[in-house]
Amino acid sequence: MCNLQIKSIREMIKSQINSMATIALSGSQSNGPSLSEYQETKQSVKTFLIENFYSDDIKLLGHYLTSDNVLFLAIEVAAGGFVHPHKHDMFEKVIVLNGSYTDEIAGETFSAGDRQILVPGMLHSMRSENSCIVNVIRSNFQI
């Protein structure tokens, strides 16, 4: 895939996440986080993810946390990049938009269009030999 296509995918993801944030923030305060809460959450999520899971080859393209604690992430994994083995106390769905990655714990490879569903407490990892872009959705309920 050429750099122009990857740039286009990045811009599309950023636009979608910004749209989700705008829609959520334009409603009444009871329907979503305030702008200051969103900004605080945005920084704390980014810091937490970078400090705990990601190698230097991971780019967080965007993220959004809804009022009912559903976390949407858009992540680019560079060639050779990895996410250390870890687990969550929530459900997680990983959707591959471009490229492929291998979950070395499960021993499975996921390519563009594939979905990986993870249940709470399931140990998993991610390594991409040739790069990939994924959407990750985390939630306290099954998604």
Side-chain angles (χ1 to χ4, degrees):
M1 178 164 276
C2 73
N3 287 338
L4 184 59
Q5 289 173 312
I6 291 174
K7 184 177 179 182
S8 176
I9 290 171
R10 284 185 195 146
E11 292 305 314
M12 178 189 70
I13 290 168
K14 287 179 185 178
S15 174
Q16 288 175 344
I17 289 175
N18 287 335
S19 293
M20 285 189 293
T22 301
I23 290 166
L25 294 172
S26 65
S28 68
Q29 294 301 320
S30 62
N31 290 335
S34 68
L35 183 57
S36 63
E37 289 171 329
Y38 172 71
Q39 296 295 353
E40 287 174 24
T41 300
K42 183 176 179 181
Q43 187 55 45
S44 63
V45 167
K46 186 173 183 177
T47 300
F48 174 78
L49 293 172
I50 290 170
E51 288 176 355
N52 290 284
F53 299 118
Y54 299 143
S55 69
D56 292 336
D57 300 320
I58 305 296
K59 287 184 186 172
L60 183 60
L61 301 176
H63 60 282
Y64 179 69
L65 180 66
T66 68
S67 60
D68 55 351
N69 291 320
V70 177
L71 178 62
F72 295 88
L73 302 167
I75 300 169
E76 179 179 11
V77 183
F82 62 93
V83 177
H84 299 284
H86 63 284
K87 57 187 173 182
H88 310 281
D89 59 355
M90 60 189 77
F91 291 92
E92 182 172 79
K93 180 187 285 187
V94 182
I95 303 164
V96 184
L97 300 177
N98 178 300
S100 64
Y101 72 87
T102 299
D103 179 337
E104 295 178 331
I105 304 298
E108 292 183 61
T109 298
F110 299 88
S111 301
D114 290 344
R115 291 175 172 82
Q116 181 180 22
I117 308 294
L118 303 158
V119 297
M122 186 176 192
L123 188 64
H124 59 283
S125 67
M126 177 184 287
R127 179 175 301 276
S128 182
E129 294 303 318
N130 299 309
S131 80
C132 68
I133 297 175
V134 297
N135 275 345
V136 178
I137 305 167
R138 292 189 187 142
S139 172
N140 290 325
F141 48 87
Q142 191 165 3
I143 39 180

